[in-house]
Amino acid sequence: MYIDKETIKRDFKKKLTSMFAEEVQDASPLHQYQALGALVKEYASENWMKTRKQYTEKKEKQVYYFSMEFLIGRLLMSNLINLGIKDECQRALKDLGIDLGELEEVEVDAGLGNGGLGRLAACFLDSMASLGIPGHGCGIRYNYGLFEQKIVDGYQVEIPDNWLRDGNVWETRKEDKAVEVRFGGYVETSFDNNKLTFHHRNYEPIIAVPYDIPIVGYHNNTVNTLRLWSAEPVGREFDFSSFSKGEYTKAVEYKSWVESISQVLYPDDSREEGRILRLKQQYFFVSAGIQSIIRRFKKLGVAIQRFDEYIAIHINDTHPAVAVAELMRILVDDEGLSWDEAWRITTNTIAYTNHTIMSEALEKWPIDMFRKILPRIYMIVEEINRRFVEELSARYPGDEERIRNMAIIGYGNIRMAHLAIVGSHSVNGVAKLHTEILKKQELANFYQYYPNKFNNKTNGITHRRWLIQANPRLASVISSAIGNKWIYVPTDLRRLMGFSKDASFQSKISQVKYNNKVDFSNYVKEHYDVDIDPNSIFDVQVKRLHAYKRQLLNVFHIMDLYNRLKENPDLDIVPRTFIFGAKASPSYYLAKQIIKLINTVADKVNKDTSIKGKLKVVFLENYRVSLAEKIIPATDVSEQISTTTKEASGTGNMKFMMNGAVTIATLDGANIEIRDEVGDDNIVIFGMKDYEVLNYYRNGGYSAMDVYRNDIRLTRIVDSLINGYFNVSYNEFKMIYDSLLYQNDEYFVLKDFDSYVNAQNRINELYKDKAKWQEMCICNIANSGEFSSDHTIIHYSKGIWNTKPSIIL
Ligand SMILES: *Cc1c(COP(=O)(O)O)cnc(C)c1O
């Protein structure tokens, strides 16, 4: 799309007039942002209509990506870039005395996700649209996204994320597309016309209203849709005062019950909470989403028996797994298909991505709870289970234990992963190691039974947001060396390998990093009043706070380095700035103690002038997408140090690599594939191997206490958690201490410590050799194209969905 500067200026002024009756110089930044957003949405609208029309007319197969989370962040810049009007827009605003960069900062992040899983969904939407694949998102329009984090006296404090306070310029409410979702009640069966029929009685109806957000493809006229559902009471405009007293109270209760459903995102990352409201959220958006898909499908005039040729539904983890039963319900109860026909269609339509192997995070629902909330859906799950168990009994006669372990319903629970596997035609893991562990360990029984369902699709990240948008300096230096084909074919970045030893190119890359570090230092100075030195190594670990991600290992290395510096202030190290950013689930006490520990160490280290500024520690408040976009381009060392086997893939690791950081990593998740791409010389690997970890978990034999006793560095560090070394109350870090010594250090922090310290020392030496370091950085950028989500989506499209790009003219 091309729109010239003068047109943008005129249109922008018109928007300010029509929306606020204000002239440019009188409008607040918020109004300027809202007018610009509305204008950009308007520019995208024609293609939005065109895209929808073509999909319908050509009856192209559509993908619906169902996800409880979409961690979108901001949309202004990415929409301007994808529409191809960023530069003109910047110039237009400049003429009007407005800085586009300042308006960008006005936009509140759409934080409708916890971390990697939600961000993956957002990257996939961008890639599907940019590849011209007819693919849409389906999720929940939470009134409150992930909490805002404040650090007060070193502790995390959670503040509600009222992200809709000033409205959302990107969404369109589609009241005419609302559908009804039913909860509770009971099911009556009858024989009508010789057919067993089910009637759902006495249910609580609620209205699901969709809000559509345009998903703009990169320079290709495609605009797909993210449809987010909001829960509203039936009869919204009821006048409550006309009720009698009893009815009035009931009506108010009903209204607040309904509204609770799309009120807030659960702030748990990979620790499921088995809460009733969460199950209601799941069924709510799944039912609404499938109903709206069916409604659109029927307009095509194609027989329902061919549904699976026209529709693919992908479920992001097990959260939307109830889709299996809901699609069965609609096909059997509403469309009148036979069970077998409905089952063929359902399993051909649905595909499932598994995101975790941590068994404590595998979702299950108590039967009683499930049946009460979703009585008809429960009957269907029971029938799916009955037939599945029958199949298993035929295949494994007498092997009761195996059958019990594989059943969908067992030990009083409904196991959502089992429902998802049985009810779909594809089950994928998110990195090679993860998929192998699923096949060989966690889901081995299922892999034996359904070997053809299992496949790997390594995660990816959109290089448009994470390189072109977040790091324009780097994007421009890359294009000046190899042209801009990489923007369309990210693996073309490989051609940078021809420049990895080129001194002049190295110096350009190094200048970009330095400039980004200066920008970030200014940000830290402004927001935290901490001085950090852009000439120091920026060593960054930003991700959710979780024991398995081992922020604790990072802190222990800092404590050790500090101890060494105290003993020898002339220790020959390159000055380092350790940067953390992480939210902890509000009820995850151990994680919160680790945040307090990081801040306590930061306080002590940053105040100590005797170490001559060689060490700084910064904890960034409120880590989120827009903050990730600032820190990642300024990073030298990317910390990817999870306990091997625990991080299914990781995607942060890919963002850093693409921005020219060197990774220090365990051979876990996609770190392995990053190592395979860049080679051992361009990444620093440490720690236990997968088989060692799995062997300890299976057979025991690890003694954290022994490791602690035999390493004087660790004795000193661990003791200092409880011996008054820090100026905190006696029990402040007791939970951390106990988790290491009395719960035997489940994540092998102590075991990997020595190896990690050695790896950090290698980083220090490598960094001193400027040319070598730059060569490593370039090699990382050059090999990051493999991790573009475009690549990932092409594999999903060919291998799972069987969809084709649709060119919008
Ligand atoms: C990419 C991203 C994540 C995932 O990071 P991991 O290191 O893979 O856990 C989490 N949060 C935000 C805001 C992100 O952008």
Side-chain angles (χ1 to χ4, degrees), residues 71 109 114-117 119-120 123 269 461 466 542-544 548-549 623-629 632 639-640 647 649-656:
L71 189 48
D109 278 41
N114 274 289
L117 175 146
R119 184 54 232 173
L120 184 77
C123 283
D269 189 68
I461 54 162
W466 296 108
V542 286
K543 49 182 76 243
R544 282 302 285 260
Y548 85 79
K549 291 178 183 279
Y623 181 57
R624 61 197 186 284
V625 173
S626 59
L627 187 51
E629 289 165 9
I632 292 170
E639 298 274 352
Q640 307 301 335
E647 188 77 272
S649 165
T651 49
N653 48 4
M654 302 167 184
K655 300 167 195 166
F656 284 105

Side-chain angles (χ1 to χ4, degrees), residues 471-482 496 499-516 633 659-660 770 774-775 777-778 781:
N471 200 344
R473 291 185 180 113
L474 181 59
S476 136
V477 166
I478 291 170
S479 290
S480 71
I482 61 168
L496 288 173
F499 296 83
S500 68
K501 292 180 161 54
D502 177 321
S504 127
F505 188 71
Q506 285 187 353
S507 110
K508 283 185 196 155
I509 291 289
S510 139
Q511 193 60 45
V512 165
K513 185 67 78 182
Y514 182 77
N515 291 341
N516 291 340
N659 281 277
K770 285 274 177 288
Q774 287 312 320
E775 187 186 335
C777 296
I778 294 165
I781 301 165

